[in-house]
Amino acid sequence: MKQRNIKIIVIAIEALVILAGIVIINIMGFNKELRFSQSETIDVYIEQEADKDKVKNIVNDVLGSENNMVQTVEIYQDMVTIRAKEITDDQKNDIVNKLKENYEFKQTAEDTTITTVPATRIVDMYKKYIVPFVVSGALVLIYMAIRYYKKGIWKVLARTICMPVLAELFLLAVIAITRIPVGRFTPVLVIGMYIASITGVVIENEK
């Protein structure tokens, strides 16, 4: 009875967290990494190989934050792309002028335009993982149905589907609530949670 009460409490807490996560997602969405969120960029052609660390320090100094990206482009790395959540005209002018203090190039602040980059959709961010995830999930279902058929196929399948789904919803809710950036490392968390939940399914089926 005590163990049953603990399970009920855990399920209730998970349900509350998931509901709170749904509310947060509907109101604020996920907190995406800068490379995936709506942002602004400027391109500066400095006509010589750029020292990325030096440029990064200049950008951090002007924007007053390290939440930005500096990339060198072109074959000779003589153009830099600077990306941040927001870049004002004054900040753009300061960045270009400070770069001119360190490099000699023709491009002026007036020639430099601020470009708005739209956010990447969640589906587009992780579409390459969808097929492998579905295939692996189907294989796990088949294995569970064969391995534990004596316990009732429908019961085993329901458990194998519901536990991972609820676990992933809980994880996504926690990510949304705590504002953990969604990006390159999110699949690692999702896969880790999936493995943990399948382990839980196996433990339940072995009882």
Side-chain angles (χ1 to χ4, degrees), residues 136-185:
S136 63
L139 292 175
V140 169
L141 282 174
I142 293 171
Y143 170 79
M144 291 292 187
I146 296 172
R147 176 72 175 80
Y148 300 106
Y149 72 94
K150 291 183 179 180
K151 293 183 176 292
I153 290 179
W154 294 114
K155 180 180 179 181
V156 170
L157 290 179
R159 180 179 289 161
T160 307
I161 292 172
C162 291
M163 285 183 66
V165 168
L166 290 175
E168 297 295 356
L169 289 175
F170 178 79
L171 172 63
L172 294 176
V174 170
I175 289 173
I177 293 169
T178 58
R179 310 310 292 162
I180 297 173
V182 174
R184 294 162 293 170
F185 302 110

Side-chain angles (χ1 to χ4, degrees), residues 60-88:
N60 289 345
D61 182 54
V62 173
L63 298 182
S65 168
E66 294 188 2
N67 187 24
N68 59 70
M69 293 172 57
V70 174
Q71 295 176 300
T72 53
V73 294
E74 302 296 341
I75 297 176
Y76 301 107
Q77 298 186 336
D78 52 2
M79 176 181 284
V80 293
T81 296
I82 298 161
R83 183 170 182 170
K85 196 75 174 177
E86 182 182 8
I87 302 175
T88 65

Side-chain angles (χ1 to χ4, degrees), residues 40-207:
E40 294 181 335
T41 67
I42 59 173
D43 294 322
V44 183
Y45 179 47
I46 62 176
E47 304 174 21
Q48 56 197 287
E49 185 174 351
D51 183 336
K52 190 174 178 180
D53 291 335
K54 183 186 290 185
V55 175
K56 178 71 172 175
N57 289 335
I58 291 172
V59 174
N60 289 345
D61 182 54
V62 173
L63 298 182
S65 168
E66 294 188 2
N67 187 24
N68 59 70
M69 293 172 57
V70 174
Q71 295 176 300
T72 53
V73 294
E74 302 296 341
I75 297 176
Y76 301 107
Q77 298 186 336
D78 52 2
M79 176 181 284
V80 293
T81 296
I82 298 161
R83 183 170 182 170
K85 196 75 174 177
E86 182 182 8
I87 302 175
T88 65
D89 286 329
D90 288 339
Q91 289 172 333
K92 175 203 69 174
N93 295 341
D94 286 345
I95 290 172
V96 175
N97 291 332
K98 284 182 179 292
L99 286 174
K100 278 184 169 294
E101 293 175 4
N102 292 271
Y103 301 97
E104 291 184 7
F105 57 91
K106 295 178 182 178
Q107 183 175 328
T108 63
E110 290 73 19
D111 297 330
T112 306
T113 58
I114 300 173
T115 304
T116 299
V117 180
T120 306
R121 297 186 308 166
I122 294 290
V123 173
D124 293 330
M125 289 168 61
Y126 302 116
K127 60 183 177 182
K128 66 181 179 181
Y129 297 102
I130 294 175
V131 173
F133 202 78
V134 171
V135 171
S136 63
L139 292 175
V140 169
L141 282 174
I142 293 171
Y143 170 79
M144 291 292 187
I146 296 172
R147 176 72 175 80
Y148 300 106
Y149 72 94
K150 291 183 179 180
K151 293 183 176 292
I153 290 179
W154 294 114
K155 180 180 179 181
V156 170
L157 290 179
R159 180 179 289 161
T160 307
I161 292 172
C162 291
M163 285 183 66
V165 168
L166 290 175
E168 297 295 356
L169 289 175
F170 178 79
L171 172 63
L172 294 176
V174 170
I175 289 173
I177 293 169
T178 58
R179 310 310 292 162
I180 297 173
V182 174
R184 294 162 293 170
F185 302 110
T186 304
V188 177
L189 296 176
V190 172
I191 293 171
M193 179 62 82
Y194 181 70
I195 293 173
S197 62
I198 290 299
T199 302
V201 172
V202 171
I203 293 173
E204 286 295 320
N205 287 335
E206 289 289 344
K207 290 180 179 180

